[in-house]
Amino acid sequence: MLYKAIAALGLALLLAGWSQRRKRSVHVPLVIAGIAIDLTLVLILEFSRDVIGMTVEKQWSWQQWTHISTSAAAVLVYFPVIWFGVALLRGKAGPAARTAHRRLANLALALRTIGFAFMWYV
Ligand code: HEM
């Protein structure tokens, strides 16, 4: 239950940050906090329960697979999102990097939202 609450807080920060995407000074701290919480949760779950090992061994339902695959994919997509976000902050990024940031960030958020919806089956 505690982990679900932490996951909800992470997603809430990401959604709040997304809603403030035009306001850098608000957008960046909110999304960084949300990503940090998500990444910390992944590490906690792996070290406390060996989730990755369990994923390989156990037979999961399709709902559980949806949760696992979309949540794992979202965390992987965070890295290029951060990369392009930092480039935008440095002012060295052109329109292409901005579009890449937007598309990847929206993809990560969509994956994370689906993963969150299916978290209740795990
Ligand atoms: C999952 C997390 C994130 C989401 C959903 C997200 C989403 C977005 C979206 C949709 C935009 C608007 C782009 C446009 O309209 O062209 C944007 C802009 C921006 N993002 Fe993110 N982003 C995320 C993470 C980050 C991170 C980690 C950073 C910095 C390290 C960052 C820095 C920026 C900057 C600097 C802008 C330009 C803001 C402006 O001046 O208009 N973002 N983001």
Side-chain angles (χ1 to χ4, degrees), residues 19-111:
S19 77
Q20 298 298 311
R21 61 197 177 277
R22 307 265 168 220
K23 225 176 160 189
R24 272 179 199 219
S25 58
V26 186
H27 173 69
V28 176
L30 286 173
V31 290
I32 286 183
I35 290 177
I37 286 177
D38 268 5
L39 291 177
T40 308
L41 193 57
V42 169
L43 292 176
I44 292 173
L45 289 174
E46 173 53 16
F47 286 110
S48 67
R49 307 191 193 164
D50 185 26
V51 169
I52 297 172
M54 250 163 72
T55 305
V56 177
E57 285 160 23
K58 231 180 126 168
Q59 295 284 315
W60 298 104
S61 67
W62 71 266
Q63 290 95 337
Q64 289 170 325
W65 266 119
T66 304
H67 167 72
I68 294 163
S69 53
T70 55
S71 306
V75 166
L76 293 180
V77 179
Y78 286 161
F79 293 98
V81 168
I82 295 169
W83 174 269
F84 287 116
V86 169
L88 286 168
L89 279 179
R90 287 181 162 181
K92 287 181 181 167
R98 199 188 169 99
T99 304
H101 177 72
R102 188 184 64 231
R103 288 194 181 147
L104 286 164
N106 288 341
L107 172 69
L109 193 58
L111 287 166

Coordinates of all heavy atoms in Angstrom, one line a residue, residues 19-111:
S19 N 1.1 19.9 -16.8 CA 0.1 21.0 -16.9 C 0.8 22.3 -16.9 O 0.3 23.3 -17.3 CB -0.9 20.9 -15.8 OG -0.4 21.4 -14.6
Q20 N 2.1 22.4 -16.3 CA 2.8 23.6 -16.3 C 4.0 23.6 -17.3 O 5.0 24.3 -17.1 CB 3.4 23.8 -14.8 CG 2.4 23.9 -13.8 CD 1.5 25.1 -13.9 OE1 2.0 26.2 -14.2 NE2 0.2 24.9 -13.9
R21 N 3.8 22.9 -18.4 CA 4.9 22.7 -19.3 C 5.4 24.0 -20.0 O 6.5 24.1 -20.5 CB 4.5 21.7 -20.4 CG 3.3 22.1 -21.3 CD 2.8 20.8 -22.0 NE 1.6 21.1 -22.7 CZ 0.3 21.2 -22.2 NH1 0.2 21.0 -20.9 NH2 -0.7 21.4 -23.0
R22 N 4.5 25.1 -20.0 CA 5.0 26.4 -20.6 C 5.7 27.2 -19.6 O 6.2 28.3 -20.0 CB 3.8 27.1 -21.1 CG 2.9 26.4 -22.0 CD 3.2 26.6 -23.5 NE 2.5 25.6 -24.3 CZ 3.1 25.1 -25.4 NH1 4.3 25.3 -25.8 NH2 2.4 24.2 -26.1
K23 N 5.7 26.8 -18.4 CA 6.4 27.7 -17.3 C 7.6 26.9 -16.8 O 7.4 26.1 -15.9 CB 5.3 27.9 -16.2 CG 5.3 29.3 -15.7 CD 4.2 29.5 -14.7 CE 4.4 30.7 -13.9 NZ 3.5 30.8 -12.8
R24 N 8.7 27.2 -17.4 CA 9.9 26.4 -17.0 C 10.2 26.3 -15.5 O 10.5 25.3 -15.0 CB 11.2 27.1 -17.6 CG 11.5 26.7 -18.9 CD 12.7 27.4 -19.4 NE 12.6 27.3 -20.9 CZ 13.7 27.1 -21.6 NH1 14.9 27.1 -21.1 NH2 13.6 27.0 -22.9
S25 N 10.1 27.5 -14.8 CA 10.4 27.5 -13.4 C 9.6 26.6 -12.5 O 9.9 26.2 -11.4 CB 10.4 28.9 -12.9 OG 9.1 29.4 -13.1
V26 N 8.4 26.3 -13.0 CA 7.5 25.4 -12.3 C 7.6 23.9 -12.9 O 7.6 23.0 -12.2 CB 6.0 25.9 -12.4 CG1 5.1 25.0 -11.5 CG2 5.9 27.3 -12.0
H27 N 7.6 23.9 -14.2 CA 7.6 22.6 -14.9 C 8.8 21.7 -14.5 O 8.6 20.6 -14.1 CB 7.7 22.8 -16.4 CG 8.0 21.6 -17.3 ND1 7.0 20.6 -17.5 CD2 9.0 21.2 -18.0 CE1 7.5 19.7 -18.3 NE2 8.7 20.0 -18.6
V28 N 10.0 22.3 -14.5 CA 11.2 21.5 -14.3 C 11.3 20.9 -12.9 O 11.4 19.7 -12.7 CB 12.5 22.3 -14.7 CG1 13.8 21.5 -14.3 CG2 12.5 22.6 -16.2
P29 N 11.1 21.7 -11.8 CA 11.1 21.1 -10.5 C 10.1 20.0 -10.3 O 10.4 19.0 -9.7 CB 10.9 22.2 -9.5 CG 11.0 23.5 -10.3 CD 11.0 23.2 -11.7
L30 N 8.9 20.2 -10.8 CA 7.8 19.2 -10.6 C 8.1 17.9 -11.3 O 8.0 16.8 -10.7 CB 6.5 19.8 -11.1 CG 5.8 20.8 -10.2 CD1 4.5 21.4 -10.9 CD2 5.4 20.2 -8.9
V31 N 8.5 18.0 -12.6 CA 8.8 16.7 -13.3 C 10.0 16.0 -12.8 O 10.1 14.8 -12.7 CB 8.9 16.9 -14.8 CG1 7.5 17.2 -15.4 CG2 9.9 17.9 -15.2
I32 N 11.0 16.8 -12.3 CA 12.2 16.2 -11.8 C 11.9 15.4 -10.5 O 12.3 14.3 -10.3 CB 13.4 17.2 -11.6 CG1 14.0 17.6 -12.9 CG2 14.5 16.6 -10.7 CD1 15.1 18.5 -12.9
A33 N 11.0 16.0 -9.6 CA 10.6 15.4 -8.4 C 9.9 14.1 -8.7 O 10.1 13.0 -8.1 CB 9.8 16.3 -7.6
G34 N 9.0 14.2 -9.7 CA 8.2 13.0 -10.1 C 9.0 11.9 -10.7 O 8.9 10.7 -10.3
I35 N 10.0 12.2 -11.5 CA 10.9 11.2 -12.1 C 11.8 10.6 -11.0 O 12.0 9.4 -10.9 CB 11.8 11.8 -13.2 CG1 10.9 12.1 -14.4 CG2 12.9 10.9 -13.6 CD1 11.6 12.8 -15.6
A36 N 12.3 11.4 -10.1 CA 13.1 11.0 -9.0 C 12.3 10.0 -8.1 O 12.9 8.9 -7.7 CB 13.6 12.1 -8.1
I37 N 11.1 10.2 -7.8 CA 10.3 9.3 -7.0 C 10.1 8.0 -7.7 O 10.2 6.9 -7.2 CB 8.9 10.0 -6.7 CG1 9.1 11.1 -5.6 CG2 7.9 9.0 -6.2 CD1 7.9 11.8 -5.2
D38 N 9.8 8.1 -9.0 CA 9.6 6.8 -9.8 C 10.9 6.0 -9.8 O 10.8 4.8 -9.7 CB 9.2 7.2 -11.2 CG 7.7 7.2 -11.4 OD1 7.0 7.1 -10.4 OD2 7.2 7.4 -12.5
L39 N 12.0 6.6 -10.1 CA 13.3 5.9 -10.2 C 13.6 5.3 -8.8 O 14.1 4.2 -8.7 CB 14.4 6.8 -10.7 CG 14.3 7.2 -12.2 CD1 15.4 8.1 -12.5 CD2 14.3 6.0 -13.1
T40 N 13.4 6.1 -7.7 CA 13.6 5.5 -6.4 C 12.8 4.3 -6.1 O 13.2 3.3 -5.6 CB 13.4 6.6 -5.3 OG1 14.1 7.8 -5.7 CG2 13.8 6.2 -4.0
L41 N 11.5 4.4 -6.5 CA 10.6 3.3 -6.3 C 11.0 2.0 -7.0 O 11.0 0.9 -6.5 CB 9.2 3.7 -6.8 CG 8.0 2.8 -6.4 CD1 7.9 2.7 -4.9 CD2 6.7 3.4 -7.0
V42 N 11.5 2.2 -8.3 CA 12.0 1.1 -9.0 C 13.2 0.4 -8.3 O 13.2 -0.8 -8.1 CB 12.5 1.5 -10.4 CG1 13.3 0.4 -11.1 CG2 11.3 1.9 -11.3
L43 N 14.1 1.2 -7.7 CA 15.2 0.7 -7.0 C 14.8 0.0 -5.7 O 15.3 -1.1 -5.4 CB 16.3 1.8 -6.7 CG 17.0 2.4 -7.9 CD1 17.9 3.5 -7.5 CD2 17.8 1.3 -8.6
I44 N 13.9 0.6 -5.0 CA 13.4 0.0 -3.7 C 12.7 -1.3 -4.0 O 13.0 -2.3 -3.3 CB 12.3 0.9 -3.0 CG1 13.0 2.2 -2.5 CG2 11.6 0.2 -1.9 CD1 11.9 3.2 -2.0
L45 N 11.9 -1.4 -5.0 CA 11.2 -2.7 -5.3 C 12.1 -3.7 -5.7 O 12.0 -4.9 -5.4 CB 10.1 -2.4 -6.4 CG 8.9 -1.6 -6.0 CD1 8.0 -1.3 -7.2 CD2 8.1 -2.3 -4.9
E46 N 13.2 -3.3 -6.5 CA 14.1 -4.4 -7.0 C 14.9 -4.9 -5.8 O 15.0 -6.1 -5.6 CB 15.1 -3.8 -8.0 CG 16.2 -4.7 -8.4 CD 15.7 -6.1 -8.9 OE1 14.5 -6.3 -9.2 OE2 16.6 -7.0 -8.9
F47 N 15.4 -4.0 -4.9 CA 16.2 -4.5 -3.8 C 15.4 -5.2 -2.7 O 15.9 -6.0 -2.0 CB 17.1 -3.4 -3.3 CG 18.2 -3.1 -4.2 CD1 18.3 -1.9 -4.9 CD2 19.2 -4.0 -4.4 CE1 19.3 -1.6 -5.9 CE2 20.3 -3.8 -5.3 CZ 20.3 -2.6 -6.0
S48 N 14.1 -4.8 -2.5 CA 13.4 -5.3 -1.4 C 12.7 -6.6 -1.8 O 12.5 -7.5 -1.0 CB 12.4 -4.3 -0.9 OG 11.4 -4.1 -1.8
R49 N 12.3 -6.8 -3.1 CA 11.5 -7.9 -3.5 C 12.1 -8.7 -4.7 O 11.5 -9.6 -5.2 CB 10.1 -7.5 -3.9 CG 9.4 -6.7 -2.9 CD 8.0 -6.7 -3.5 NE 7.2 -5.7 -2.8 CZ 6.0 -5.3 -3.3 NH1 5.6 -5.8 -4.4 NH2 5.3 -4.4 -2.6
D50 N 13.2 -8.2 -5.3 CA 13.8 -8.7 -6.5 C 12.7 -8.8 -7.6 O 12.4 -9.9 -8.1 CB 14.4 -10.1 -6.2 CG 15.1 -10.7 -7.5 OD1 15.5 -9.9 -8.3 OD2 15.2 -11.9 -7.6
V51 N 12.0 -7.7 -7.8 CA 10.9 -7.7 -8.8 C 11.4 -8.2 -10.2 O 10.6 -8.9 -10.8 CB 10.3 -6.3 -8.9 CG1 9.4 -6.2 -10.0 CG2 9.6 -5.9 -7.6
I52 N 12.6 -7.9 -10.6 CA 13.0 -8.3 -11.9 C 13.1 -9.8 -12.0 O 12.7 -10.4 -12.9 CB 14.3 -7.6 -12.3 CG1 14.1 -6.0 -12.4 CG2 14.9 -8.1 -13.6 CD1 15.4 -5.2 -12.6
G53 N 13.7 -10.4 -10.9 CA 13.8 -11.8 -10.8 C 12.4 -12.5 -10.8 O 12.2 -13.5 -11.5
M54 N 11.5 -11.9 -10.1 CA 10.1 -12.4 -10.0 C 9.5 -12.4 -11.3 O 8.7 -13.3 -11.7 CB 9.3 -11.6 -9.0 CG 9.0 -12.2 -7.7 SD 8.5 -11.0 -6.6 CE 6.9 -10.5 -7.2
T55 N 9.7 -11.3 -12.1 CA 9.1 -11.1 -13.4 C 9.5 -12.2 -14.3 O 8.6 -12.7 -15.1 CB 9.5 -9.7 -14.0 OG1 9.2 -8.8 -13.0 CG2 8.8 -9.4 -15.2
V56 N 10.7 -12.7 -14.2 CA 11.2 -13.7 -15.1 C 10.5 -15.1 -14.7 O 10.1 -15.9 -15.6 CB 12.7 -13.8 -15.1 CG1 13.2 -15.0 -16.0 CG2 13.3 -12.5 -15.5
E57 N 10.4 -15.3 -13.4 CA 9.9 -16.7 -13.0 C 8.4 -16.8 -13.0 O 7.9 -17.9 -13.3 CB 10.4 -16.9 -11.6 CG 11.9 -17.2 -11.5 CD 12.5 -17.0 -10.1 OE1 11.7 -17.0 -9.1 OE2 13.7 -16.8 -10.0
K58 N 7.7 -15.8 -12.6 CA 6.3 -16.0 -12.3 C 5.4 -16.0 -13.6 O 5.8 -15.4 -14.6 CB 5.8 -14.8 -11.4 CG 5.1 -15.3 -10.2 CD 4.7 -14.2 -9.3 CE 3.2 -14.2 -9.1 NZ 2.7 -13.3 -8.0
Q59 N 4.2 -16.6 -13.4 CA 3.3 -16.5 -14.5 C 2.3 -15.3 -14.2 O 1.6 -15.3 -13.2 CB 2.4 -17.8 -14.5 CG 3.2 -19.0 -14.8 CD 3.5 -19.1 -16.3 OE1 2.6 -18.9 -17.2 NE2 4.7 -19.4 -16.7
W60 N 2.4 -14.3 -15.1 CA 1.5 -13.1 -14.8 C 0.3 -13.1 -15.7 O 0.3 -13.7 -16.8 CB 2.3 -11.9 -15.1 CG 3.6 -11.6 -14.3 CD1 4.8 -11.8 -14.7 CD2 3.6 -11.2 -12.9 NE1 5.7 -11.5 -13.6 CE2 5.0 -11.1 -12.6 CE3 2.6 -10.8 -12.0 CZ2 5.4 -10.7 -11.3 CZ3 3.1 -10.4 -10.7 CH2 4.4 -10.4 -10.4
S61 N -0.7 -12.5 -15.2 CA -1.9 -12.3 -16.0 C -1.6 -11.2 -17.1 O -0.7 -10.4 -16.9 CB -3.1 -11.8 -15.2 OG -2.8 -10.6 -14.6
W62 N -2.5 -11.0 -18.1 CA -2.2 -10.0 -19.1 C -2.3 -8.6 -18.4 O -1.6 -7.7 -18.8 CB -3.2 -10.1 -20.3 CG -4.6 -9.7 -20.0 CD1 -5.6 -10.5 -19.7 CD2 -5.2 -8.4 -20.1 NE1 -6.8 -9.8 -19.5 CE2 -6.6 -8.5 -19.7 CE3 -4.7 -7.1 -20.3 CZ2 -7.4 -7.4 -19.7 CZ3 -5.5 -6.0 -20.3 CH2 -6.9 -6.2 -20.0
Q63 N -3.1 -8.4 -17.4 CA -3.2 -7.1 -16.7 C -1.9 -6.8 -16.0 O -1.4 -5.7 -16.0 CB -4.3 -7.1 -15.7 CG -5.7 -7.1 -16.3 CD -6.3 -8.5 -16.3 OE1 -5.5 -9.5 -16.3 NE2 -7.6 -8.6 -16.3
Q64 N -1.3 -7.9 -15.4 CA -0.1 -7.7 -14.7 C 1.1 -7.4 -15.7 O 1.9 -6.5 -15.4 CB 0.2 -8.9 -13.8 CG -0.7 -9.0 -12.6 CD -0.6 -10.3 -11.9 OE1 -0.4 -11.3 -12.5 NE2 -0.8 -10.2 -10.6
W65 N 1.0 -8.1 -16.8 CA 2.0 -7.8 -17.9 C 1.9 -6.4 -18.4 O 3.0 -5.7 -18.7 CB 1.9 -8.8 -19.0 CG 2.8 -10.0 -18.9 CD1 2.4 -11.3 -18.8 CD2 4.2 -10.0 -18.8 NE1 3.5 -12.1 -18.6 CE2 4.6 -11.3 -18.6 CE3 5.2 -9.0 -18.8 CZ2 5.9 -11.7 -18.5 CZ3 6.5 -9.4 -18.6 CH2 6.9 -10.7 -18.5
T66 N 0.7 -5.9 -18.5 CA 0.5 -4.5 -19.0 C 1.2 -3.6 -18.0 O 1.9 -2.7 -18.4 CB -1.0 -4.2 -19.2 OG1 -1.5 -5.2 -20.1 CG2 -1.2 -2.8 -19.7
H67 N 0.9 -3.8 -16.7 CA 1.5 -3.0 -15.7 C 3.1 -3.0 -15.8 O 3.7 -2.0 -15.8 CB 1.1 -3.4 -14.3 CG 1.9 -2.8 -13.2 ND1 1.8 -1.5 -12.9 CD2 2.9 -3.3 -12.4 CE1 2.7 -1.2 -11.9 NE2 3.3 -2.3 -11.6
I68 N 3.6 -4.2 -15.8 CA 5.1 -4.4 -15.8 C 5.7 -3.7 -17.0 O 6.7 -3.0 -16.9 CB 5.5 -5.9 -15.7 CG1 5.0 -6.4 -14.3 CG2 7.0 -6.0 -15.9 CD1 5.0 -7.9 -14.3
S69 N 5.2 -4.0 -18.2 CA 5.8 -3.6 -19.5 C 5.7 -2.1 -19.6 O 6.7 -1.4 -20.0 CB 5.3 -4.3 -20.7 OG 3.9 -4.3 -20.7
T70 N 4.5 -1.5 -19.4 CA 4.4 -0.1 -19.5 C 5.2 0.7 -18.5 O 5.8 1.8 -18.8 CB 2.9 0.4 -19.5 OG1 2.3 -0.1 -18.3 CG2 2.1 -0.2 -20.7
S71 N 5.2 0.2 -17.2 CA 5.9 0.9 -16.2 C 7.4 0.9 -16.5 O 8.1 1.9 -16.3 CB 5.7 0.3 -14.8 OG 4.3 0.3 -14.6
A72 N 7.9 -0.3 -16.9 CA 9.4 -0.4 -17.2 C 9.7 0.5 -18.4 O 10.7 1.2 -18.4 CB 9.7 -1.9 -17.5
A73 N 8.9 0.5 -19.4 CA 9.1 1.3 -20.6 C 9.2 2.7 -20.3 O 10.0 3.5 -20.7 CB 8.1 1.0 -21.7
A74 N 8.2 3.2 -19.4 CA 8.2 4.6 -19.0 C 9.5 5.0 -18.4 O 10.1 6.1 -18.7 CB 7.0 4.9 -18.1
V75 N 10.0 4.2 -17.5 CA 11.3 4.5 -16.8 C 12.4 4.6 -17.8 O 13.3 5.5 -17.7 CB 11.5 3.5 -15.7 CG1 12.9 3.6 -15.2 CG2 10.5 3.7 -14.5
L76 N 12.4 3.7 -18.8 CA 13.5 3.8 -19.8 C 13.4 5.1 -20.6 O 14.4 5.7 -20.9 CB 13.4 2.6 -20.7 CG 13.8 1.3 -20.1 CD1 13.7 0.1 -21.1 CD2 15.2 1.3 -19.5
V77 N 12.2 5.5 -21.0 CA 12.0 6.7 -21.8 C 12.3 8.0 -21.0 O 12.6 9.0 -21.6 CB 10.5 6.7 -22.4 CG1 10.3 8.0 -23.2 CG2 10.2 5.5 -23.2
Y78 N 12.3 7.9 -19.7 CA 12.7 9.1 -18.9 C 14.0 9.6 -19.2 O 14.3 10.8 -19.2 CB 12.7 8.8 -17.4 CG 11.3 8.6 -16.7 CD1 11.2 8.0 -15.5 CD2 10.2 9.1 -17.3 CE1 10.0 7.8 -14.9 CE2 9.0 9.0 -16.7 CZ 8.9 8.3 -15.5 OH 7.6 8.2 -14.8
F79 N 15.0 8.7 -19.6 CA 16.4 9.1 -19.8 C 16.5 10.0 -21.0 O 17.1 11.1 -20.9 CB 17.3 7.9 -19.8 CG 17.4 7.3 -18.4 CD1 16.6 6.1 -18.2 CD2 18.2 7.8 -17.4 CE1 16.7 5.6 -16.9 CE2 18.2 7.3 -16.2 CZ 17.5 6.1 -15.9
P80 N 16.0 9.7 -22.2 CA 16.1 10.7 -23.3 C 15.2 11.9 -23.0 O 15.6 13.0 -23.5 CB 15.5 9.9 -24.5 CG 14.9 8.7 -24.0 CD 15.5 8.4 -22.7
V81 N 14.2 11.8 -22.2 CA 13.3 13.0 -21.9 C 14.2 14.0 -21.1 O 14.2 15.2 -21.4 CB 12.1 12.6 -21.1 CG1 11.4 13.8 -20.5 CG2 11.1 11.8 -21.9
I82 N 15.0 13.4 -20.1 CA 15.9 14.3 -19.3 C 16.9 14.9 -20.2 O 17.3 16.1 -20.1 CB 16.5 13.5 -18.2 CG1 15.4 13.0 -17.2 CG2 17.6 14.3 -17.4 CD1 15.9 12.0 -16.2
W83 N 17.5 14.1 -21.1 CA 18.6 14.5 -22.0 C 18.1 15.7 -22.8 O 18.8 16.8 -22.8 CB 18.9 13.4 -22.9 CG 19.9 13.7 -24.0 CD1 19.6 14.2 -25.3 CD2 21.3 13.7 -23.9 NE1 20.7 14.4 -26.0 CE2 21.8 14.2 -25.2 CE3 22.2 13.4 -22.9 CZ2 23.2 14.3 -25.4 CZ3 23.6 13.5 -23.2 CH2 24.1 13.9 -24.4
F84 N 16.9 15.6 -23.5 CA 16.4 16.7 -24.3 C 16.0 17.9 -23.4 O 16.1 19.1 -23.8 CB 15.3 16.3 -25.2 CG 15.8 15.4 -26.4 CD1 15.4 14.1 -26.5 CD2 16.6 16.0 -27.3 CE1 15.8 13.3 -27.5 CE2 17.1 15.2 -28.4 CZ 16.7 13.9 -28.5
G85 N 15.5 17.6 -22.2 CA 15.1 18.6 -21.3 C 16.2 19.5 -20.9 O 16.2 20.7 -20.8
V86 N 17.4 18.8 -20.6 CA 18.6 19.6 -20.2 C 19.1 20.4 -21.3 O 19.5 21.6 -21.2 CB 19.7 18.6 -19.7 CG1 21.0 19.3 -19.5 CG2 19.2 17.9 -18.3
A87 N 19.0 19.9 -22.5 CA 19.4 20.6 -23.7 C 18.6 21.9 -23.9 O 19.1 22.9 -24.2 CB 19.3 19.7 -25.0
L88 N 17.3 21.8 -23.6 CA 16.4 22.9 -23.7 C 16.8 24.0 -22.7 O 16.8 25.2 -22.9 CB 14.9 22.5 -23.5 CG 14.3 21.8 -24.7 CD1 12.9 21.2 -24.2 CD2 14.0 22.7 -25.9
L89 N 17.1 23.5 -21.4 CA 17.4 24.4 -20.4 C 18.7 25.1 -20.7 O 18.8 26.3 -20.3 CB 17.6 23.6 -19.1 CG 16.4 23.2 -18.3 CD1 16.8 22.4 -17.1 CD2 15.6 24.4 -17.9
R90 N 19.6 24.5 -21.3 CA 20.9 25.1 -21.7 C 20.8 26.1 -22.8 O 21.7 26.8 -23.2 CB 21.9 24.1 -22.1 CG 22.4 23.3 -20.9 CD 23.4 22.3 -21.4 NE 24.3 21.8 -20.3 CZ 25.2 20.9 -20.5 NH1 25.5 20.5 -21.7 NH2 25.9 20.5 -19.5
G91 N 19.6 26.1 -23.4 CA 19.4 27.0 -24.6 C 20.1 26.6 -25.8 O 20.2 27.4 -26.7
K92 N 20.6 25.4 -25.8 CA 21.4 24.9 -27.0 C 20.5 24.1 -28.0 O 21.0 23.6 -28.9 CB 22.6 24.1 -26.6 CG 23.7 24.9 -25.9 CD 24.8 24.0 -25.5 CE 25.9 24.8 -24.9 NZ 26.9 24.0 -24.2
A93 N 19.3 23.9 -27.6 CA 18.4 23.0 -28.4 C 17.6 23.8 -29.4 O 17.0 24.9 -29.1 CB 17.5 22.3 -27.4
G94 N 17.5 23.3 -30.6 CA 16.6 23.9 -31.6 C 15.2 23.3 -31.5 O 14.9 22.6 -30.6
P95 N 14.4 23.6 -32.5 CA 13.0 23.1 -32.6 C 12.9 21.6 -32.6 O 12.0 21.1 -32.1 CB 12.5 23.8 -33.8 CG 13.5 24.7 -34.4 CD 14.7 24.6 -33.6
A96 N 13.9 21.0 -33.3 CA 13.9 19.5 -33.3 C 14.0 18.9 -32.0 O 13.2 17.9 -31.6 CB 15.0 19.0 -34.3
A97 N 14.9 19.4 -31.1 CA 15.0 18.8 -29.8 C 13.8 19.1 -28.9 O 13.4 18.3 -28.1 CB 16.3 19.5 -29.1
R98 N 13.2 20.2 -29.2 CA 12.0 20.6 -28.5 C 10.8 19.6 -28.8 O 10.1 19.1 -27.9 CB 11.6 22.0 -28.8 CG 10.6 22.6 -27.8 CD 10.1 23.9 -28.4 NE 9.0 24.3 -27.5 CZ 9.2 25.2 -26.5 NH1 10.4 25.8 -26.3 NH2 8.2 25.5 -25.7
T99 N 10.7 19.3 -30.1 CA 9.7 18.4 -30.5 C 10.0 17.0 -30.0 O 9.1 16.3 -29.5 CB 9.7 18.3 -32.1 OG1 9.5 19.6 -32.6 CG2 8.6 17.4 -32.6
A100 N 11.3 16.6 -30.0 CA 11.7 15.3 -29.5 C 11.3 15.2 -28.0 O 10.8 14.2 -27.5 CB 13.2 15.0 -29.7
H101 N 11.7 16.3 -27.2 CA 11.3 16.3 -25.8 C 9.8 16.1 -25.6 O 9.4 15.3 -24.8 CB 11.8 17.6 -25.2 CG 11.5 17.7 -23.7 ND1 12.1 17.0 -22.8 CD2 10.5 18.5 -23.1 CE1 11.6 17.3 -21.6 NE2 10.6 18.2 -21.7
R102 N 9.1 16.9 -26.4 CA 7.6 16.9 -26.2 C 7.1 15.5 -26.5 O 6.3 14.9 -25.7 CB 7.0 17.9 -27.1 CG 5.5 18.1 -26.8 CD 4.8 19.0 -27.8 NE 4.9 18.5 -29.1 CZ 5.4 19.2 -30.2 NH1 5.8 20.4 -30.0 NH2 5.4 18.7 -31.4
R103 N 7.5 14.9 -27.6 CA 6.9 13.6 -28.0 C 7.3 12.5 -27.0 O 6.5 11.7 -26.6 CB 7.4 13.2 -29.4 CG 6.7 14.1 -30.4 CD 6.9 13.5 -31.8 NE 6.3 14.4 -32.8 CZ 6.7 14.6 -34.0 NH1 7.8 14.0 -34.5 NH2 6.1 15.4 -34.8
L104 N 8.6 12.5 -26.7 CA 9.1 11.4 -25.7 C 8.4 11.6 -24.4 O 8.1 10.6 -23.7 CB 10.6 11.5 -25.6 CG 11.4 10.9 -26.9 CD1 12.8 11.3 -26.8 CD2 11.3 9.4 -26.9
A105 N 8.3 12.8 -23.9 CA 7.8 13.1 -22.6 C 6.3 12.7 -22.6 O 5.8 12.1 -21.6 CB 7.9 14.6 -22.2
N106 N 5.6 13.0 -23.6 CA 4.1 12.6 -23.7 C 4.0 11.1 -23.7 O 3.1 10.5 -23.1 CB 3.4 13.3 -24.9 CG 3.2 14.8 -24.7 OD1 3.3 15.3 -23.6 ND2 3.0 15.5 -25.8
L107 N 4.9 10.4 -24.5 CA 4.9 9.0 -24.5 C 5.2 8.4 -23.1 O 4.5 7.5 -22.6 CB 6.0 8.5 -25.5 CG 6.3 7.0 -25.5 CD1 5.1 6.2 -26.1 CD2 7.5 6.6 -26.3
A108 N 6.2 8.9 -22.4 CA 6.5 8.4 -21.1 C 5.3 8.6 -20.1 O 5.0 7.7 -19.4 CB 7.8 9.2 -20.5
L109 N 4.7 9.8 -20.2 CA 3.6 10.0 -19.3 C 2.4 9.1 -19.6 O 1.7 8.6 -18.7 CB 3.1 11.5 -19.5 CG 2.2 12.1 -18.5 CD1 2.8 12.0 -17.1 CD2 1.9 13.5 -18.8
A110 N 2.1 8.8 -20.9 CA 1.1 7.9 -21.3 C 1.4 6.5 -20.8 O 0.5 5.9 -20.2 CB 0.9 7.9 -22.8
L111 N 2.6 6.1 -21.0 CA 3.0 4.7 -20.5 C 2.8 4.6 -19.0 O 2.3 3.7 -18.4 CB 4.4 4.4 -20.9 CG 4.7 4.1 -22.4 CD1 6.2 4.2 -22.7 CD2 4.2 2.8 -22.8

